[in-house]
Amino acid sequence: MPRRFDAAFFRARAFFIRTSQMEPEKEIRLKPKMSLLNGTTVIVGSTIGSGIFVSPRGVLRGTGSSGLSLVVWAVCGVFSAIGAYCYAELGCTIARSGGDYAYIMEAYGPFWAFMRLWVECTMVRPCSQAVVALTFATYVLRPFFPSCAAPDESARLLSAACIGILTFINCYDVKWATRVQDIFTLAKLLGLAIIIATGIYMLSIGKTENMNFENTETDPTLIVLSCYSGLFAYHGWNYLNFLTEELKDPVKNLPRAIGISCVLVTLVYVSTNVAFFTTLTTKEVLESEAVAVSFAEELYGRMVWIVPVFVSLSTFGAVNGILLTSSRCEITPLRLIHAGAMEGQMPRVLTNIQISRLTPVPAVIFQSLLSLLYLTSSDVIALINYVGFATWLTIGAGVSVIPWLRWKQPERPRPLKVHILFPIVYVVLTVFLIVMSMLADLVSTGYGVLIILTGVPVYFLFVYGESKPKAFQVTMVQWTAPPPLHCIAASLVLSRLLADYELRLDYFFVASAVVEGG
């Protein structure tokens, strides 16, 4: 066994020696290869997901009428576009990987940057994955329980199975994960195309009686909570900022990609909801656990199976997409985690890669375990409120960097400069959303605040300061990744070889090294 490991290690060592001797123009670094079309598809693909199948009931519950719910969907699109426009200035001014984590780090320092990282890793990503997995279970189980809701235990068990299967796929082979994503993304687009095309036909024959403002809700706190459900579906518009270094001519292409994609996504979401209301009453939408299935049952007859199949495939792919993007340094969101680990604010084990299959096993497992923890609740609306509170708190903090830097660093070069009114209005509206949501649902937001505050002792115990006793530092390294001594030695050698590229390869898994040695 040691010989096989040594063979694998020395082959890897030879490879890294060769890469260390590369000419400067051939060094391993991020290069701008993404066009305007690529940037637009990143945002559209990241935003349009299962949210459109999850959120209609939550939006309608807070608005009371189909008319106001359509207004909320449009307003959420405009609100997201303003935030994305502000992020375009940040992406061009602070051209670093890590997105809003990097912006907050530069403006407010390491503590607030760590809190942004903590919220993303412990709430936003795993909770979003739990919501999508529950939606997948709801649509899969609907044919077996056509006249009532599926048992809560069945839904959660199927959600856990979905997460477990995709965890294995993402750990085993990245090609499997990307193939799953390609296939299921196509299913998502086909499902939406069928629904929108049906809605256009229903409008053409005059089916508009369900679209009105009857029973409109007047309680502003409930309307704000409906915005959380709508904004959950728009989440993802900021992902291109994690790829600023790889976008060609970002000063020109970043704002263009944001503008095009936000318009497209808003049109798709509003059109889908209009299609639902051409057939379903507000009461039917509120009582339905699976709105798209109820829509299909009214219109498609024997072909009713088409929509639940496509939606189930879409949500399955969305769970895979969250795992895929949350556990890889090559794809947008884990640039946040990777950037945090490079700053010493995350366990380095989360940036490790299993060397025979080149998959980020620790990050995938970490993400999945947290998602399973959130499955202790099957209330999708409550989980969306968790995500909404945390997401808009941190995104509002990111946008607030613009006026802060305008004040602190007025002479700083800004290739793209938005009018100062946009970030100010956005931050004010974000604060309003957060305060009103706390008044409307004190329990859910209270739990959210408690989860966020757990990051404070974690920061001061494990991250803050560099003067901790050496024994404490060694112990923490052993807790986050306890490899055998010869693996640590191999890691140290490779880390020195990679120092010129600011790349750190801290630990290897012995088992994977043995397999590679074959």
Side-chain angles (χ1 to χ4, degrees):
M1 185 176 293
R3 291 181 180 178
R4 298 176 72 185
F5 171 78
D6 290 343
F9 166 68
F10 284 113
R11 283 202 301 272
R13 181 176 181 272
F15 168 77
F16 285 113
I17 288 175
R18 289 197 301 272
T19 59
S20 67
Q21 296 171 347
M22 284 183 178
E23 298 175 6
E25 62 272 14
K26 295 183 180 180
E27 289 180 358
I28 302 172
R29 61 178 183 268
L30 298 175
K31 297 180 180 179
K33 295 182 178 180
M34 296 177 62
S35 64
L36 172 61
L37 178 61
N38 298 143
T40 302
T41 55
V42 164
I43 298 177
V44 173
S46 300
T47 305
I48 296 179
S50 62
I52 187 59
F53 304 115
V54 178
S55 298
R57 191 162 64 106
V59 173
L60 187 58
R61 180 185 293 181
T63 56
S65 69
S66 58
L68 184 57
S69 71
L70 293 175
V71 171
V72 166
W73 279 101
V75 168
C76 288
V78 173
F79 185 71
S80 299
I82 294 174
Y85 184 49
C86 294
Y87 264 54
E89 174 178 327
L90 291 170
C92 295
T93 304
I94 307 173
R96 292 170 52 190
S97 293
D100 40 19
Y101 170 78
Y103 312 150
I104 294 173
M105 172 70 80
E106 180 143 342
Y108 304 132
F111 172 73
W112 294 110
F114 173 80
M115 295 303 293
R116 169 68 183 98
L117 194 65
W118 182 258
V119 168
E120 182 75 15
C121 296
T122 61
M123 287 187 67
V124 176
R125 304 303 295 180
C127 194
S128 298
Q129 184 168 295
V131 169
V132 178
L134 285 167
T135 306
F136 164 78
T138 299
Y139 277 90
V140 169
L141 293 173
R142 179 60 187 269
F144 301 99
F145 301 91
S147 59
C148 63
D152 185 66
E153 295 79 6
S154 300
R156 285 193 283 179
L157 184 61
L158 186 56
S159 301
C162 170
I163 293 172
I165 291 169
L166 289 172
T167 299
F168 169 76
I169 290 174
N170 278 267
C171 288
Y172 188 76
D173 194 341
V174 68
K175 289 183 179 179
W176 284 17
T178 53
R179 285 171 186 166
V180 167
Q181 196 62 24
D182 293 342
I183 294 169
F184 289 86
T185 296
L186 178 61
K188 168 181 64 181
L189 297 177
L190 284 174
L192 286 172
I194 291 170
I195 292 171
I196 292 173
T198 304
I200 292 173
Y201 171 76
M202 297 300 288
L203 285 174
S204 70
I205 61 175
K207 293 292 184 178
T208 59
E209 61 270 16
N210 295 328
M211 283 176 273
N212 52 61
F213 287 86
E214 293 179 6
N215 301 315
T216 296
E217 182 61 61
T218 57
D219 186 345
T221 59
L222 294 179
I223 296 174
V224 167
L225 284 182
S226 75
C227 290
Y228 269 2
S229 291
L231 290 170
F232 175 81
Y234 284 95
H235 186 57
W237 52 259
N238 60 330
Y239 285 177
L240 189 59
N241 283 64
F242 292 86
L243 292 167
T244 303
E245 295 176 70
E246 295 157 85
L247 185 66
K248 294 178 181 177
D249 195 1
V251 175
K252 180 175 69 175
N253 287 333
L254 184 59
R256 287 181 178 179
I258 287 170
I260 294 170
S261 58
C262 285
V263 170
L264 285 175
V265 171
T266 303
L267 286 175
V268 168
Y269 282 177
V270 173
S271 299
T272 302
N273 279 275
V274 168
F276 289 151
F277 288 121
T278 60
T279 303
L280 301 174
T281 65
T282 54
K283 182 180 179 181
E284 289 171 330
V285 173
L286 289 172
E287 291 177 351
S288 175
E289 293 289 331
V291 177
V293 174
S294 299
F295 173 80
E297 288 173 347
E298 294 287 333
L299 297 173
Y300 294 154
R302 293 182 179 179
M303 301 299 289
V304 67
W305 57 268
I306 291 177
V307 169
V309 166
F310 278 128
V311 175
S312 298
L313 294 176
S314 171
T315 49
F316 189 80
V319 176
N320 180 71
I322 294 172
L323 267 179
L324 185 68
T325 58
S326 296
S327 56
R328 279 162 176 79
C329 299
E330 297 89 353
I331 306 177
T332 51
L334 192 72
R335 292 178 180 276
L336 178 68
I337 298 175
H338 181 69
M342 293 300 100
E343 295 283 351
Q345 293 195 343
M346 287 289 287
R348 294 175 183 173
V349 68
L350 295 182
T351 63
N352 287 358
I353 296 174
Q354 205 271 3
I355 62 173
S356 66
R357 301 197 177 277
L358 300 179
T359 55
V361 174
V364 172
I365 294 175
F366 173 76
Q367 175 83 19
S368 299
L369 290 176
L370 284 178
S371 298
L372 293 174
L373 182 63
Y374 280 105
L375 286 180
T376 54
S377 171
S378 59
D379 187 343
V380 171
I381 304 300
L383 291 174
I384 288 176
N385 289 343
Y386 288 149
V387 174
F389 173 77
T391 298
W392 300 108
L393 180 65
T394 54
I395 288 179
V399 173
S400 71
V401 169
I402 295 177
W404 178 265
L405 289 182
R406 294 274 184 96
W407 175 46
K408 288 290 187 179
Q409 302 176 17
E411 304 302 323
R412 180 170 186 153
R414 291 174 174 84
L416 175 67
K417 191 173 182 179
V418 304
H419 194 286
I420 192 63
L421 188 63
F422 284 106
I424 291 176
V425 168
Y426 191 87
V427 171
V428 170
L429 290 176
T430 301
V431 171
F432 175 77
L433 274 176
I434 293 169
V435 172
M436 295 301 287
S437 68
M438 293 181 72
L439 294 176
D441 191 354
L442 190 59
V443 175
S444 293
T445 52
Y447 282 132
V449 170
L450 288 176
I451 294 172
I452 293 171
L453 291 179
T454 58
V456 176
V458 171
Y459 176 80
F460 285 103
L461 282 175
F462 305 118
V463 177
Y464 178 73
E466 300 179 356
S467 58
K468 296 183 178 68
K470 186 175 181 180
F472 177 82
Q473 297 181 35
V474 171
T475 301
M476 291 314 303
V477 169
Q478 291 174 344
W479 282 4
T480 56
L485 290 176
H486 60 283
C487 280
I488 296 176
S491 172
L492 292 174
V493 172
L494 293 176
S495 295
R496 294 189 64 181
L497 293 172
L498 294 170
D500 292 336
Y501 304 112
E502 298 182 349
L503 193 62
R504 296 159 88 180
L505 189 60
D506 297 290
Y507 309 110
F508 281 103
F509 297 131
V510 178
S512 60
V514 171
V515 173
E516 175 69 14

